[in-house]
Amino acid sequence: MKRKPRGFRHVEHGRRMAVLYILLRLSVILVMIAQFFNRNYENVFLCLLTLVLFTLPALIERQLRIDLPDTLEVIILLFIYAAEILGEIQAYYVNLPFWDTMLHTLNGFLCAAIGFSLVALLNRTERVALNLSPFFMAVVAFCFSMTVGVLWEFFERFMDSVLLFDMQKDHIVHTIASVSLDPTHSNEVIVVRDIADVILVHGDGSQQALGLGGYLDLGIYDTMKDLFVNFIGAVVFSIIGYFFVKSRGKGRFARRFIPRVLMDGEETPSESSSNS
C-alpha cells in the first residue's frame, strides 16, 4: 500500500484541526451570546479570552518554528475549553469536585512534556554547551512542570487576596490544630475537633451561623492538592520521557506530546495546508 506523502499528511492535519477549531469556537460564541443577554459581562470577557487562547497553538508554531504533535495540540485546545467555559462559566469546578483535580494533573503532565522538549532543543543546539543525560533531562522537565504549577498557585493567591476572587476553592474541615489558639503563647498546639459550624460576628455585634457543617478552610487544602496532583502528572511524564530518550526516540506515545523543532525550509502543518 502506497504511503501518503508528508505534505498530504499536513493537509489532513490542517483539515482535522480546522474542524475542531470551528466546533470549539462556535460553542464559545454561542455561550458568549447567551452570557451577553444575561448581562453577565465577566463571563463574556472569559469567552473572549478563550477565543484568544485558541489562537496560541498556531501562533506558537509559526513564530517559534516548531511542530506541535496532533495529540498535544488537541489536548491544549480541550484543556482551555474545559478550564474556562466548562470550569468557570458552567461551574464544573463547583459541581464536579474532580474537575479541578483532573485539570491540574493534566497540566503537570503537559508542562513536563514541554519542559522535556525545551531541554531536548538545547541538547541539539550547538550554541549552547549543554548535553544532559536522559536522567537529568527528566529531572529538568519535572522541575519545569512544578515551577509552572507553583507560579500558577501564586497567581491564584494574588487574584484571591487583591481582587477577591475565589480561585483557591475553600474546603470544609472538622478538625484544626493551631498554636494561635494557645492562650499562654508558649507555642503549644491546640487541637479543636468535631467542628460543626462557623459563626460570623459582624462589626455591629450581630452574629450569623453559616450552616457549613464544619470549619471553612481558605485555600490551603486546595493549593496543596493542586500541587500534589501536578507532581503526579510531572512524575508520570518525566518517567515516560526518560525511557523515550534512553531508547533513542523509540516509542510512539511520548512523541505525541513532545513538540518538534522544524528544520530550515520545513513548513508547519498550518503553513503546508494553506499553501496546498
Side-chain angles (χ1 to χ4, degrees):
M1 185 169 149
K2 227 173 166 182
R3 294 187 67 183
K4 296 178 182 178
R6 183 175 182 80
F8 184 85
R9 291 200 299 272
H10 277 184
V11 172
E12 290 298 308
H13 160 84
R15 289 173 180 170
R16 291 195 300 269
M17 295 307 301
V19 171
L20 179 63
Y21 270 114
I22 291 173
L23 292 177
L24 290 177
R25 285 172 175 166
L26 180 60
S27 175
V28 173
I29 290 173
L30 292 176
V31 172
M32 182 171 61
I33 293 173
Q35 296 300 316
F36 179 81
F37 282 110
N38 290 334
R39 297 184 179 181
N40 195 332
Y41 300 118
E42 181 180 333
N43 285 347
V44 172
F45 170 77
L46 283 178
C47 291
L48 291 173
L49 176 63
T50 302
L51 293 175
V52 172
L53 293 176
F54 279 166
T55 65
L56 290 183
L59 184 64
I60 291 173
E61 281 190 326
R62 292 182 179 180
Q63 295 299 319
L64 300 183
R65 305 298 303 163
I66 64 175
D67 179 17
L68 297 178
D70 294 8
T71 303
L72 177 62
E73 191 168 354
V74 168
I75 291 178
I76 290 174
L77 295 175
L78 295 179
F79 182 90
I80 295 171
Y81 187 86
E84 301 297 335
I85 303 302
L86 298 180
E88 295 289 349
I89 297 179
Q90 300 299 325
Y92 278 29
Y93 287 136
V94 177
N95 298 320
L96 298 177
F98 67 86
W99 196 255
D100 185 60
T101 301
M102 176 191 69
L103 292 182
H104 276 279
T105 306
L106 184 59
N107 177 74
F109 185 89
L110 295 180
C111 285
I114 295 172
F116 212 94
S117 66
L118 293 176
V119 179
L121 171 61
L122 293 176
N123 264 356
R124 294 195 300 266
T125 302
E126 296 179 357
R127 291 174 296 179
V128 180
L130 182 67
N131 187 18
L132 296 180
S133 66
F135 174 77
F136 279 102
M137 288 181 68
V139 170
V140 172
F142 168 79
C143 293
F144 177 84
S145 177
M146 291 304 299
T147 300
V148 172
V150 169
L151 291 177
W152 177 256
E153 294 302 320
F154 286 169
F155 172 74
E156 286 190 347
R157 177 58 184 167
F158 172 81
M159 297 298 287
D160 290 353
S161 59
V162 177
L163 301 181
L164 300 182
F165 282 35
D166 187 19
M167 299 185 69
Q168 295 176 301
K169 297 297 186 287
D170 308 325
H171 283 249
I172 304 299
V173 297
H174 302 283
T175 301
I176 60 173
S178 174
V179 297
S180 298
L181 300 177
D182 177 18
T184 64
H185 302 288
S186 58
N187 203 34
E188 181 181 352
V189 177
I190 302 299
V191 179
V192 181
R193 306 179 188 275
D194 301 324
I195 301 174
D197 200 2
V198 173
I199 298 177
L200 295 181
V201 180
H202 300 280
D204 58 1
S206 60
Q207 298 184 0
Q208 176 187 1
L210 299 182
L212 297 175
Y215 172 73
L216 185 64
D217 167 75
L218 300 179
I220 184 63
Y221 277 78
D222 179 77
T223 297
M224 297 310 297
K225 181 262 299 177
D226 291 346
L227 290 177
F228 180 70
V229 296
N230 190 105
F231 167 84
I232 293 175
V235 167
V236 169
F237 190 86
S238 295
I239 294 174
I240 294 173
Y242 168 81
F243 287 106
F244 176 75
V245 177
K246 192 76 173 176
S247 63
R248 299 184 181 275
K250 294 181 181 179
R252 298 180 180 179
F253 183 79
R255 194 178 291 115
R256 294 176 181 269
F257 299 94
I258 300 178
R260 181 178 63 89
V261 181
L262 297 176
M263 306 299 292
D264 292 338
E266 192 175 359
E267 294 180 331
T268 65
S270 57
E271 291 172 339
S272 178
S273 60
S274 62
N275 293 334
S276 301

